[in-house]
Amino acid sequence: MKRLVLASASPRRRELLSQAGIDYEVCVSDQEERNLWHTPEQLVMNLAMLKTTDVYEKLGSDDERWILGADTVVSLDGEIFGKPADETEAFKMLQRLQGRTHQVFTGVCLKMGDITRIFCEKTDVTMYELSDEQIQDYIRTGEPMDKAGAYGIQGMGAVLIQGIRGDYNNVVGLPLARVWHMMAAHGEMRLAGESRTANGLSTDDAKGQC
């Protein structure tokens, strides 16, 4: 059976894998997120590749183990929205996004032995028109502060979203079905296993060590 190592500390990506019954381990990449390219597609794919390569080099080559790295950004009119630095920036982001349709890009890199697969998934998201008071109320929940684009569609931010076109899970942080089928094309995957880190810790205890 093929195994999967998630090169990410994202609790949302862990939740998606667990919900799908995919057995995985966690080994968090030490690579810092930085703007390497001009377009959202190039940015997320290259950051995903850096994370995957970092963990692959830590753990070594294994023809029975996938390494999965991913990165997600929000984009409006070609401008990239990452995670807000503070509440003021979160407000500015949401003020720009409200009443508009924006794009969510997730770059994915999968590596196993000599096999490397890199792709980008795009989902269009339309946000309701919001008053400044509604935006401030949402920011006060604290939810926007660790989310690309300053909202979480899987949480309280769901009430902000009028509709989407594309993969919902991609907006959460991982195009799960596409990842699964890409891995399954190269061999059987484990299902319904207990998730853990690469050194035997539970995912809740993972602190970036492998």
PDB file of all heavy atoms in Angstrom, residues 100-128:
ATOM      1  N   ARG A 100     -18.162  40.805  -4.958  1.00  0.00           N
ATOM      2  CA  ARG A 100     -17.382  40.485  -6.161  1.00  0.00           C
ATOM      3  C   ARG A 100     -17.159  38.978  -6.273  1.00  0.00           C
ATOM      4  O   ARG A 100     -17.332  38.225  -5.311  1.00  0.00           O
ATOM      5  CB  ARG A 100     -16.004  41.164  -6.095  1.00  0.00           C
ATOM      6  CG  ARG A 100     -16.010  42.682  -5.992  1.00  0.00           C
ATOM      7  CD  ARG A 100     -16.273  43.360  -7.322  1.00  0.00           C
ATOM      8  NE  ARG A 100     -15.383  42.902  -8.378  1.00  0.00           N
ATOM      9  CZ  ARG A 100     -14.111  43.358  -8.555  1.00  0.00           C
ATOM     10  NH1 ARG A 100     -13.612  44.287  -7.733  1.00  0.00           N
ATOM     11  NH2 ARG A 100     -13.396  42.911  -9.559  1.00  0.00           N
ATOM     12  N   THR A 101     -16.743  38.557  -7.465  1.00  0.00           N
ATOM     13  CA  THR A 101     -16.313  37.177  -7.683  1.00  0.00           C
ATOM     14  C   THR A 101     -14.793  37.137  -7.754  1.00  0.00           C
ATOM     15  O   THR A 101     -14.194  37.874  -8.545  1.00  0.00           O
ATOM     16  CB  THR A 101     -16.901  36.601  -8.981  1.00  0.00           C
ATOM     17  OG1 THR A 101     -18.333  36.558  -8.867  1.00  0.00           O
ATOM     18  CG2 THR A 101     -16.380  35.181  -9.228  1.00  0.00           C
ATOM     19  N   HIS A 102     -14.186  36.333  -6.900  1.00  0.00           N
ATOM     20  CA  HIS A 102     -12.731  36.197  -6.894  1.00  0.00           C
ATOM     21  C   HIS A 102     -12.356  34.748  -7.166  1.00  0.00           C
ATOM     22  O   HIS A 102     -13.225  33.878  -7.298  1.00  0.00           O
ATOM     23  CB  HIS A 102     -12.139  36.677  -5.556  1.00  0.00           C
ATOM     24  CG  HIS A 102     -12.603  35.878  -4.376  1.00  0.00           C
ATOM     25  ND1 HIS A 102     -13.711  36.225  -3.632  1.00  0.00           N
ATOM     26  CD2 HIS A 102     -12.102  34.753  -3.800  1.00  0.00           C
ATOM     27  CE1 HIS A 102     -13.876  35.341  -2.656  1.00  0.00           C
ATOM     28  NE2 HIS A 102     -12.913  34.443  -2.740  1.00  0.00           N
ATOM     29  N   GLN A 103     -11.068  34.500  -7.254  1.00  0.00           N
ATOM     30  CA  GLN A 103     -10.574  33.158  -7.538  1.00  0.00           C
ATOM     31  C   GLN A 103      -9.738  32.646  -6.356  1.00  0.00           C
ATOM     32  O   GLN A 103      -8.993  33.411  -5.737  1.00  0.00           O
ATOM     33  CB  GLN A 103      -9.710  33.145  -8.811  1.00  0.00           C
ATOM     34  CG  GLN A 103     -10.489  33.319 -10.102  1.00  0.00           C
ATOM     35  CD  GLN A 103     -11.057  34.723 -10.256  1.00  0.00           C
ATOM     36  OE1 GLN A 103     -10.360  35.717 -10.041  1.00  0.00           O
ATOM     37  NE2 GLN A 103     -12.336  34.806 -10.605  1.00  0.00           N
ATOM     38  N   VAL A 104      -9.892  31.360  -6.084  1.00  0.00           N
ATOM     39  CA  VAL A 104      -9.044  30.679  -5.101  1.00  0.00           C
ATOM     40  C   VAL A 104      -8.181  29.680  -5.862  1.00  0.00           C
ATOM     41  O   VAL A 104      -8.695  28.820  -6.588  1.00  0.00           O
ATOM     42  CB  VAL A 104      -9.873  29.958  -4.028  1.00  0.00           C
ATOM     43  CG1 VAL A 104      -8.949  29.188  -3.074  1.00  0.00           C
ATOM     44  CG2 VAL A 104     -10.722  30.954  -3.244  1.00  0.00           C
ATOM     45  N   PHE A 105      -6.861  29.815  -5.707  1.00  0.00           N
ATOM     46  CA  PHE A 105      -5.905  28.931  -6.367  1.00  0.00           C
ATOM     47  C   PHE A 105      -5.198  28.081  -5.318  1.00  0.00           C
ATOM     48  O   PHE A 105      -4.679  28.618  -4.332  1.00  0.00           O
ATOM     49  CB  PHE A 105      -4.848  29.737  -7.126  1.00  0.00           C
ATOM     50  CG  PHE A 105      -5.379  30.547  -8.275  1.00  0.00           C
ATOM     51  CD1 PHE A 105      -5.765  31.866  -8.101  1.00  0.00           C
ATOM     52  CD2 PHE A 105      -5.489  29.984  -9.537  1.00  0.00           C
ATOM     53  CE1 PHE A 105      -6.240  32.619  -9.160  1.00  0.00           C
ATOM     54  CE2 PHE A 105      -5.961  30.730 -10.609  1.00  0.00           C
ATOM     55  CZ  PHE A 105      -6.351  32.049 -10.423  1.00  0.00           C
ATOM     56  N   THR A 106      -5.169  26.781  -5.537  1.00  0.00           N
ATOM     57  CA  THR A 106      -4.362  25.888  -4.706  1.00  0.00           C
ATOM     58  C   THR A 106      -3.373  25.152  -5.603  1.00  0.00           C
ATOM     59  O   THR A 106      -3.774  24.500  -6.567  1.00  0.00           O
ATOM     60  CB  THR A 106      -5.221  24.875  -3.942  1.00  0.00           C
ATOM     61  OG1 THR A 106      -6.085  25.564  -3.039  1.00  0.00           O
ATOM     62  CG2 THR A 106      -4.333  23.917  -3.128  1.00  0.00           C
ATOM     63  N   GLY A 107      -2.102  25.299  -5.279  1.00  0.00           N
ATOM     64  CA  GLY A 107      -1.068  24.552  -5.971  1.00  0.00           C
ATOM     65  C   GLY A 107      -0.769  23.283  -5.199  1.00  0.00           C
ATOM     66  O   GLY A 107      -0.733  23.293  -3.961  1.00  0.00           O
ATOM     67  N   VAL A 108      -0.580  22.200  -5.904  1.00  0.00           N
ATOM     68  CA  VAL A 108      -0.310  20.898  -5.292  1.00  0.00           C
ATOM     69  C   VAL A 108       0.918  20.279  -5.936  1.00  0.00           C
ATOM     70  O   VAL A 108       1.078  20.319  -7.163  1.00  0.00           O
ATOM     71  CB  VAL A 108      -1.514  19.939  -5.459  1.00  0.00           C
ATOM     72  CG1 VAL A 108      -1.163  18.538  -4.964  1.00  0.00           C
ATOM     73  CG2 VAL A 108      -2.729  20.472  -4.719  1.00  0.00           C
ATOM     74  N   CYS A 109       1.799  19.739  -5.107  1.00  0.00           N
ATOM     75  CA  CYS A 109       2.933  18.962  -5.607  1.00  0.00           C
ATOM     76  C   CYS A 109       2.929  17.605  -4.912  1.00  0.00           C
ATOM     77  O   CYS A 109       2.908  17.530  -3.679  1.00  0.00           O
ATOM     78  CB  CYS A 109       4.247  19.688  -5.341  1.00  0.00           C
ATOM     79  SG  CYS A 109       5.715  18.781  -5.940  1.00  0.00           S
ATOM     80  N   LEU A 110       2.934  16.542  -5.703  1.00  0.00           N
ATOM     81  CA  LEU A 110       3.009  15.172  -5.210  1.00  0.00           C
ATOM     82  C   LEU A 110       4.299  14.545  -5.704  1.00  0.00           C
ATOM     83  O   LEU A 110       4.617  14.640  -6.891  1.00  0.00           O
ATOM     84  CB  LEU A 110       1.819  14.352  -5.721  1.00  0.00           C
ATOM     85  CG  LEU A 110       0.471  14.569  -5.031  1.00  0.00           C
ATOM     86  CD1 LEU A 110      -0.653  14.076  -5.928  1.00  0.00           C
ATOM     87  CD2 LEU A 110       0.435  13.845  -3.694  1.00  0.00           C
ATOM     88  N   LYS A 111       5.015  13.910  -4.803  1.00  0.00           N
ATOM     89  CA  LYS A 111       6.282  13.282  -5.190  1.00  0.00           C
ATOM     90  C   LYS A 111       6.409  11.923  -4.536  1.00  0.00           C
ATOM     91  O   LYS A 111       6.182  11.770  -3.324  1.00  0.00           O
ATOM     92  CB  LYS A 111       7.466  14.161  -4.806  1.00  0.00           C
ATOM     93  CG  LYS A 111       8.816  13.651  -5.332  1.00  0.00           C
ATOM     94  CD  LYS A 111       9.903  14.678  -5.143  1.00  0.00           C
ATOM     95  CE  LYS A 111      11.247  14.174  -5.676  1.00  0.00           C
ATOM     96  NZ  LYS A 111      11.204  13.866  -7.124  1.00  0.00           N
ATOM     97  N   MET A 112       6.777  10.925  -5.334  1.00  0.00           N
ATOM     98  CA  MET A 112       7.045   9.581  -4.838  1.00  0.00           C
ATOM     99  C   MET A 112       8.156   8.983  -5.684  1.00  0.00           C
ATOM    100  O   MET A 112       7.981   8.783  -6.896  1.00  0.00           O
ATOM    101  CB  MET A 112       5.802   8.693  -4.913  1.00  0.00           C
ATOM    102  CG  MET A 112       6.036   7.252  -4.432  1.00  0.00           C
ATOM    103  SD  MET A 112       4.534   6.242  -4.505  1.00  0.00           S
ATOM    104  CE  MET A 112       4.220   6.202  -6.284  1.00  0.00           C
ATOM    105  N   GLY A 113       9.327   8.749  -5.081  1.00  0.00           N
ATOM    106  CA  GLY A 113      10.445   8.233  -5.849  1.00  0.00           C
ATOM    107  C   GLY A 113      10.789   9.169  -6.996  1.00  0.00           C
ATOM    108  O   GLY A 113      11.008  10.364  -6.800  1.00  0.00           O
ATOM    109  N   ASP A 114      10.785   8.644  -8.220  1.00  0.00           N
ATOM    110  CA  ASP A 114      11.102   9.449  -9.399  1.00  0.00           C
ATOM    111  C   ASP A 114       9.871  10.148  -9.989  1.00  0.00           C
ATOM    112  O   ASP A 114       9.986  10.876 -10.980  1.00  0.00           O
ATOM    113  CB  ASP A 114      11.737   8.569 -10.487  1.00  0.00           C
ATOM    114  CG  ASP A 114      13.096   8.015 -10.053  1.00  0.00           C
ATOM    115  OD1 ASP A 114      13.769   8.698  -9.254  1.00  0.00           O
ATOM    116  OD2 ASP A 114      13.459   6.915 -10.503  1.00  0.00           O
ATOM    117  N   ILE A 115       8.697   9.929  -9.393  1.00  0.00           N
ATOM    118  CA  ILE A 115       7.466  10.503  -9.919  1.00  0.00           C
ATOM    119  C   ILE A 115       7.188  11.840  -9.237  1.00  0.00           C
ATOM    120  O   ILE A 115       7.185  11.932  -8.006  1.00  0.00           O
ATOM    121  CB  ILE A 115       6.266   9.562  -9.680  1.00  0.00           C
ATOM    122  CG1 ILE A 115       6.497   8.213 -10.368  1.00  0.00           C
ATOM    123  CG2 ILE A 115       4.976  10.210 -10.185  1.00  0.00           C
ATOM    124  CD1 ILE A 115       5.463   7.164  -9.988  1.00  0.00           C
ATOM    125  N   THR A 116       6.962  12.892 -10.026  1.00  0.00           N
ATOM    126  CA  THR A 116       6.578  14.197  -9.501  1.00  0.00           C
ATOM    127  C   THR A 116       5.392  14.707 -10.307  1.00  0.00           C
ATOM    128  O   THR A 116       5.424  14.708 -11.539  1.00  0.00           O
ATOM    129  CB  THR A 116       7.735  15.217  -9.605  1.00  0.00           C
ATOM    130  OG1 THR A 116       8.867  14.726  -8.871  1.00  0.00           O
ATOM    131  CG2 THR A 116       7.308  16.553  -9.011  1.00  0.00           C
ATOM    132  N   ARG A 117       4.348  15.117  -9.608  1.00  0.00           N
ATOM    133  CA  ARG A 117       3.163  15.674 -10.248  1.00  0.00           C
ATOM    134  C   ARG A 117       2.869  17.035  -9.617  1.00  0.00           C
ATOM    135  O   ARG A 117       2.735  17.147  -8.401  1.00  0.00           O
ATOM    136  CB  ARG A 117       1.954  14.744 -10.064  1.00  0.00           C
ATOM    137  CG  ARG A 117       2.136  13.364 -10.700  1.00  0.00           C
ATOM    138  CD  ARG A 117       2.089  13.449 -12.217  1.00  0.00           C
ATOM    139  NE  ARG A 117       2.197  12.131 -12.841  1.00  0.00           N
ATOM    140  CZ  ARG A 117       3.340  11.595 -13.254  1.00  0.00           C
ATOM    141  NH1 ARG A 117       4.472  12.293 -13.110  1.00  0.00           N
ATOM    142  NH2 ARG A 117       3.364  10.407 -13.802  1.00  0.00           N
ATOM    143  N   ILE A 118       2.757  18.066 -10.446  1.00  0.00           N
ATOM    144  CA  ILE A 118       2.465  19.419  -9.973  1.00  0.00           C
ATOM    145  C   ILE A 118       1.287  19.971 -10.772  1.00  0.00           C
ATOM    146  O   ILE A 118       1.255  19.864 -11.995  1.00  0.00           O
ATOM    147  CB  ILE A 118       3.680  20.355 -10.147  1.00  0.00           C
ATOM    148  CG1 ILE A 118       4.910  19.788  -9.430  1.00  0.00           C
ATOM    149  CG2 ILE A 118       3.371  21.749  -9.612  1.00  0.00           C
ATOM    150  CD1 ILE A 118       6.195  20.559  -9.711  1.00  0.00           C
ATOM    151  N   PHE A 119       0.317  20.552 -10.053  1.00  0.00           N
ATOM    152  CA  PHE A 119      -0.808  21.162 -10.748  1.00  0.00           C
ATOM    153  C   PHE A 119      -1.407  22.271  -9.896  1.00  0.00           C
ATOM    154  O   PHE A 119      -1.098  22.415  -8.709  1.00  0.00           O
ATOM    155  CB  PHE A 119      -1.877  20.125 -11.103  1.00  0.00           C
ATOM    156  CG  PHE A 119      -2.596  19.534  -9.919  1.00  0.00           C
ATOM    157  CD1 PHE A 119      -3.751  20.130  -9.405  1.00  0.00           C
ATOM    158  CD2 PHE A 119      -2.132  18.368  -9.317  1.00  0.00           C
ATOM    159  CE1 PHE A 119      -4.416  19.590  -8.326  1.00  0.00           C
ATOM    160  CE2 PHE A 119      -2.801  17.815  -8.235  1.00  0.00           C
ATOM    161  CZ  PHE A 119      -3.945  18.422  -7.738  1.00  0.00           C
ATOM    162  N   CYS A 120      -2.289  23.049 -10.516  1.00  0.00           N
ATOM    163  CA  CYS A 120      -2.989  24.128  -9.824  1.00  0.00           C
ATOM    164  C   CYS A 120      -4.484  23.981 -10.089  1.00  0.00           C
ATOM    165  O   CYS A 120      -4.900  23.743 -11.219  1.00  0.00           O
ATOM    166  CB  CYS A 120      -2.498  25.489 -10.321  1.00  0.00           C
ATOM    167  SG  CYS A 120      -3.343  26.898  -9.572  1.00  0.00           S
ATOM    168  N   GLU A 121      -5.278  24.104  -9.044  1.00  0.00           N
ATOM    169  CA  GLU A 121      -6.739  24.055  -9.162  1.00  0.00           C
ATOM    170  C   GLU A 121      -7.308  25.443  -8.877  1.00  0.00           C
ATOM    171  O   GLU A 121      -6.865  26.128  -7.944  1.00  0.00           O
ATOM    172  CB  GLU A 121      -7.309  23.044  -8.166  1.00  0.00           C
ATOM    173  CG  GLU A 121      -8.789  22.790  -8.303  1.00  0.00           C
ATOM    174  CD  GLU A 121      -9.144  21.887  -9.479  1.00  0.00           C
ATOM    175  OE1 GLU A 121      -8.233  21.222 -10.021  1.00  0.00           O
ATOM    176  OE2 GLU A 121     -10.332  21.844  -9.850  1.00  0.00           O
ATOM    177  N   LYS A 122      -8.303  25.862  -9.669  1.00  0.00           N
ATOM    178  CA  LYS A 122      -8.931  27.175  -9.494  1.00  0.00           C
ATOM    179  C   LYS A 122     -10.416  27.017  -9.223  1.00  0.00           C
ATOM    180  O   LYS A 122     -11.102  26.221  -9.877  1.00  0.00           O
ATOM    181  CB  LYS A 122      -8.739  28.042 -10.737  1.00  0.00           C
ATOM    182  CG  LYS A 122      -9.317  29.444 -10.597  1.00  0.00           C
ATOM    183  CD  LYS A 122      -9.267  30.209 -11.912  1.00  0.00           C
ATOM    184  CE  LYS A 122     -10.406  29.799 -12.837  1.00  0.00           C
ATOM    185  NZ  LYS A 122     -10.558  30.698 -13.998  1.00  0.00           N
ATOM    186  N   THR A 123     -10.919  27.782  -8.247  1.00  0.00           N
ATOM    187  CA  THR A 123     -12.354  27.833  -7.957  1.00  0.00           C
ATOM    188  C   THR A 123     -12.792  29.296  -7.915  1.00  0.00           C
ATOM    189  O   THR A 123     -12.125  30.132  -7.298  1.00  0.00           O
ATOM    190  CB  THR A 123     -12.675  27.175  -6.603  1.00  0.00           C
ATOM    191  OG1 THR A 123     -12.215  25.822  -6.607  1.00  0.00           O
ATOM    192  CG2 THR A 123     -14.167  27.201  -6.314  1.00  0.00           C
ATOM    193  N   ASP A 124     -13.901  29.605  -8.594  1.00  0.00           N
ATOM    194  CA  ASP A 124     -14.471  30.950  -8.546  1.00  0.00           C
ATOM    195  C   ASP A 124     -15.426  31.054  -7.357  1.00  0.00           C
ATOM    196  O   ASP A 124     -16.285  30.185  -7.168  1.00  0.00           O
ATOM    197  CB  ASP A 124     -15.234  31.256  -9.834  1.00  0.00           C
ATOM    198  CG  ASP A 124     -14.329  31.353 -11.044  1.00  0.00           C
ATOM    199  OD1 ASP A 124     -13.232  31.924 -10.914  1.00  0.00           O
ATOM    200  OD2 ASP A 124     -14.713  30.851 -12.115  1.00  0.00           O
ATOM    201  N   VAL A 125     -15.266  32.107  -6.569  1.00  0.00           N
ATOM    202  CA  VAL A 125     -16.078  32.312  -5.369  1.00  0.00           C
ATOM    203  C   VAL A 125     -16.722  33.690  -5.421  1.00  0.00           C
ATOM    204  O   VAL A 125     -16.033  34.691  -5.624  1.00  0.00           O
ATOM    205  CB  VAL A 125     -15.224  32.196  -4.085  1.00  0.00           C
ATOM    206  CG1 VAL A 125     -16.096  32.384  -2.847  1.00  0.00           C
ATOM    207  CG2 VAL A 125     -14.504  30.849  -4.034  1.00  0.00           C
ATOM    208  N   THR A 126     -18.038  33.744  -5.253  1.00  0.00           N
ATOM    209  CA  THR A 126     -18.760  35.013  -5.220  1.00  0.00           C
ATOM    210  C   THR A 126     -19.189  35.315  -3.789  1.00  0.00           C
ATOM    211  O   THR A 126     -19.827  34.480  -3.139  1.00  0.00           O
ATOM    212  CB  THR A 126     -19.996  34.978  -6.134  1.00  0.00           C
ATOM    213  OG1 THR A 126     -19.596  34.672  -7.475  1.00  0.00           O
ATOM    214  CG2 THR A 126     -20.719  36.318  -6.115  1.00  0.00           C
ATOM    215  N   MET A 127     -18.836  36.501  -3.306  1.00  0.00           N
ATOM    216  CA  MET A 127     -19.157  36.906  -1.948  1.00  0.00           C
ATOM    217  C   MET A 127     -20.343  37.879  -1.964  1.00  0.00           C
ATOM    218  O   MET A 127     -20.464  38.708  -2.866  1.00  0.00           O
ATOM    219  CB  MET A 127     -17.933  37.565  -1.295  1.00  0.00           C
ATOM    220  CG  MET A 127     -18.063  37.796   0.205  1.00  0.00           C
ATOM    221  SD  MET A 127     -16.511  38.418   0.965  1.00  0.00           S
ATOM    222  CE  MET A 127     -15.512  36.923   0.952  1.00  0.00           C
ATOM    223  N   TYR A 128     -21.223  37.746  -0.988  1.00  0.00           N
ATOM    224  CA  TYR A 128     -22.337  38.685  -0.857  1.00  0.00           C
ATOM    225  C   TYR A 128     -21.815  40.110  -0.625  1.00  0.00           C
ATOM    226  O   TYR A 128     -20.692  40.303  -0.145  1.00  0.00           O
ATOM    227  CB  TYR A 128     -23.212  38.312   0.342  1.00  0.00           C
ATOM    228  CG  TYR A 128     -24.209  37.214   0.088  1.00  0.00           C
ATOM    229  CD1 TYR A 128     -23.995  35.928   0.592  1.00  0.00           C
ATOM    230  CD2 TYR A 128     -25.381  37.460  -0.627  1.00  0.00           C
ATOM    231  CE1 TYR A 128     -24.917  34.912   0.387  1.00  0.00           C
ATOM    232  CE2 TYR A 128     -26.308  36.447  -0.844  1.00  0.00           C
ATOM    233  CZ  TYR A 128     -26.073  35.181  -0.336  1.00  0.00           C
ATOM    234  OH  TYR A 128     -26.988  34.177  -0.556  1.00  0.00           O
TER     235      TYR A 128
END
